[in-house]
Amino acid sequence: MDDVEKGKKIFIMKHSQCHIVEKGGKHKTGPNLHGLFGRKTGQAPGYSYTATIKNKDIIWGEDTLMEYLENPKYIPGTKMIFVGIKKKEEARRERANLIAYLKKATNE
Amino acid sequence: MSSWSRQRPKSPGGIQPHVSRTLFLLLLLAASAWGLTLSPKDCQVFRSDHGSSISCQSPAEIPSSLPADTVHLAVEFFNLTHLPANLLQGASKLQELHLSSNGLESLSPEFLRPVPQLRVLDLTRNALTGLPPGLFQASAALDTLVLKENQLEVLEVSWLHGLKALGHLDLSGNRLRKLPPGLLANFTLLRTLDLGENQLETLPPDLLRGPLQLERLHLEGNKLQVLGKDLLLPQPDLRYLFLNGNKLARVAAGAFQGLRQLDMLDLSNNSLASVPEGLWASLGQPNWDMRDGFDISGNPWICDQNLSDLYRWLQAQKDKMFSQNDTRCAGPEAVKGQTLLAVAKSQ
């Protein structure tokens, strides 16, 4: 069972420096992730994305995020300083928890 | 852009340049549409009003010269012990340089001289054991330096000379056992220091002394046994403090004394059986609202009268407590296995 609370801690520790999830919040170094699920890549209003992310034709959801967060650099040209949370079981669970938290928090 | 276009692979004989460029662009479009696993044979180039962004992954060929308006360059996933010496020649407007996931073993001391406007340097996941003196001599504009997941066993203060504007220093995932004194003494603008996932057993007591205004301090995943009372005193505006996953058995009574705005404190997964009275007095409610919370789970708490101070504090901010069900008493026998919150409530 994916753990939203654990995901929240991971988000605060590793991702909140550059991202927020609250509706209407100002972008930081990275885009505000509110409204992420069900949205096409590169669509957070008011953020200046690289062209590769904007042109990528995928919809963010649990599966696409699971894949992306393992290897964010498969979208080349991303400005993110993040090499991904790699495969092993512990890492897989970390990604799942993080995604469970994002699914809830970006929709509030 | 003439020097750049010379680097593109030769088009089949006889096809005119604009047709081959169209084919090239079509290949790029096709690659990015299918794109998740397909790596383009060439670097990707994007032009905008701000300048050129170039992104290269193996098996593309690393350009031997860059357009003069290059602002963003990524060279990643190559199997390279060294970069071409004059990679950055002529790219004087470069702002961001992403060099993660190569196998870089060393950098040449002049490597960054051509790029005095550089703001971001990402060297995550390489094989660096040190940095050459003078590397950052021309890097007064560098805001973000990431050396995460390299093979640094020691750190010399001299390696970081010249980084006047550094705001974010990430040294996590290395093999650092000790830090030199005065490491941060000259960083006026440092906001984030990440020393997580190293092998630090002790910290120089003056580590955080300096003109900096630290907001985030990561020390998780080390081997720290003690949190002394002087470490955090020079940084009253610290907001995030991660000490989880160490071997902390003792926290000094005044350790959190000076902190005024701490939003997140993680002490989970240590060896804390008890903490001194007064430790928590200055944190959180009623002084301020810890915006994100705290975690003291995964410790072998001995839930006796010595924790009464902690019980009172927990009750005042239990809505900010992470991992409530994993914060349990290891003793005494009568309360073994109960949650701290349950014991706190019963006082």
Side-chain angles (χ1 to χ4, degrees):
Chain A
M1 172 90 162
D2 296 333
D3 192 322
V4 168
E5 192 194 56
K6 289 206 170 99
K8 179 173 180 179
K9 253 221 324 182
I10 292 160
F11 182 80
I12 294 169
M13 192 183 316
K14 299 192 184 179
H15 308 286
S16 70
Q17 174 138 11
C18 294
H19 290 286
I20 58 172
V21 296
E22 289 83 19
K23 182 168 187 175
K26 215 172 79 144
H27 300 301
K28 290 174 145 181
T29 310
N32 182 340
L33 299 176
H34 193 270
L36 184 73
F37 281 69
R39 188 169 66 199
K40 197 164 107 56
T41 56
Q43 303 298 317
Y47 184 78
S48 165
Y49 289 93
T50 56
T52 24
I53 287 226
K54 258 211 297 244
N55 296 334
K56 204 94 189 133
D57 206 10
I58 62 176
I59 306 286
W60 290 122
E62 278 154 343
D63 291 340
T64 44
L65 276 174
M66 220 26 188
E67 195 166 346
Y68 177 63
L69 292 175
E70 188 180 346
N71 185 14
K73 303 282 181 167
Y74 79 52
I75 304 186
T78 177
K79 293 183 276 185
M80 260 200 332
I81 297 177
F82 175 55
V83 289
I85 312 169
K86 292 306 185 199
K87 260 204 174 70
K88 294 184 292 194
E89 184 47 41
E90 188 187 299
R92 200 212 74 83
R93 223 177 311 129
E94 180 173 312
R95 279 180 289 144
N97 291 339
L98 176 62
I99 290 164
Y101 165 69
L102 286 175
K103 186 171 180 182
K104 176 169 179 289
T106 59
N107 204 30
E108 284 170 347
Chain B
M1 282 269 271
S2 59
S3 62
W4 167 248
S5 48
R6 270 207 291 279
Q7 303 313 315
R8 292 219 300 270
K10 290 194 175 62
S11 47
I15 296 183
Q16 292 174 13
H18 72 273
V19 176
S20 72
R21 193 178 65 200
T22 308
L23 286 176
F24 173 61
L25 288 171
L26 280 176
L27 176 67
L28 275 188
L29 276 174
S32 58
W34 305 328
L36 303 190
T37 49
L38 191 67
S39 32
K41 284 211 320 284
D42 296 298
C43 300
Q44 294 196 10
V45 183
F46 294 97
R47 316 234 28 220
S48 79
D49 292 337
H50 300 128
S52 296
S53 291
I54 299 169
S55 188
C56 306
Q57 294 190 11
S58 184
E61 223 178 275
I62 299 177
S64 56
S65 69
L66 298 170
D69 71 342
T70 306
V71 289
H72 182 279
L73 174 65
V75 172
E76 299 172 300
F77 296 103
F78 288 86
N79 211 331
L80 273 182
T81 52
H82 300 84
L83 290 167
N86 53 1
L87 174 66
L88 305 178
Q89 210 65 46
S92 62
K93 298 211 166 65
L94 195 69
Q95 306 241 322
E96 294 201 18
L97 179 56
H98 295 254
L99 296 171
S100 79
S101 308
N102 297 298
L104 299 176
E105 288 176 4
S106 68
L107 299 173
S108 115
E110 278 90 46
F111 176 57
L112 298 174
R113 296 271 192 281
V115 292
Q117 295 184 39
L118 196 68
R119 289 186 304 101
V120 174
L121 176 59
D122 180 11
L123 286 158
T124 304
R125 213 166 272 173
N126 281 286
L128 298 171
T129 51
L131 298 175
L135 176 65
F136 297 117
Q137 201 172 297
S139 302
L142 199 70
D143 170 80
T144 297
L145 173 60
V146 182
L147 288 158
K148 183 181 190 69
E149 295 183 29
N150 277 272
Q151 286 160 30
L152 301 174
E153 289 183 15
V154 294
L155 195 59
E156 305 276 340
V157 177
S158 59
W159 294 348
L160 304 177
H161 270 163
L163 292 171
K164 299 192 172 68
L166 197 66
H168 178 159
L169 177 59
D170 186 341
L171 293 160
S172 63
N174 280 282
R175 302 171 186 175
L176 297 171
R177 269 172 309 210
K178 264 172 49 133
L179 297 173
L183 175 63
L184 306 175
N186 290 317
F187 291 132
T188 26
L189 300 178
L190 198 70
R191 303 168 319 267
T192 296
L193 175 61
D194 193 342
L195 290 162
E197 311 297 334
N198 276 284
Q199 322 252 357
L200 297 169
E201 292 172 30
T202 58
L203 298 172
D206 72 340
L207 176 65
L208 302 183
R209 207 177 299 151
L212 43 137
Q213 285 109 53
L214 215 55
E215 290 176 10
R216 288 182 180 246
L217 177 59
H218 288 260
L219 288 164
E220 71 271 16
N222 279 285
K223 297 182 173 170
L224 300 173
Q225 296 176 26
V226 174
L227 181 62
K229 74 169 170 45
D230 292 327
L231 180 74
L232 301 172
L233 271 182
Q235 297 303 325
D237 294 331
L238 197 64
R239 289 181 170 276
Y240 298 86
L241 177 58
F242 300 98
L243 285 160
N244 41 308
N246 277 279
K247 298 197 184 303
L248 286 177
R250 195 162 67 78
V251 178
F256 302 136
Q257 200 171 296
L259 301 176
R260 296 192 289 235
Q261 307 200 71
L262 200 67
D263 282 331
M264 173 87 200
L265 172 64
D266 197 341
L267 284 166
S268 63
N269 297 311
N270 276 288
S271 302
L272 295 169
S274 193
V275 282
E277 221 180 277
L279 176 66
W280 312 96
S282 55
L283 292 182
Q285 295 286 3
N287 312 290
W288 69 83
D289 187 33
M290 284 181 94
R291 260 186 6 176
D292 292 297
F294 65 96
D295 196 334
I296 57 173
S297 66
N299 280 287
W301 295 109
I302 299 299
C303 298
D304 57 17
Q305 285 308 104
N306 292 321
L307 288 192
S308 352
D309 214 32
L310 175 55
Y311 299 148
R312 271 192 297 273
W313 190 77
L314 286 183
Q315 300 217 277
Q317 25 254 318
K318 59 178 187 285
D319 60 330
K320 297 294 183 182
M321 184 178 185
F322 281 94
S323 315
Q324 292 178 15
N325 273 341
D326 292 329
T327 311
R328 290 182 184 265
C329 305
E333 206 54 43
V335 289
K336 186 171 174 176
Q338 288 188 33
T339 64
L340 254 71
L341 271 184
V343 175
K345 218 182 304 190
S346 74
Q347 296 297 296

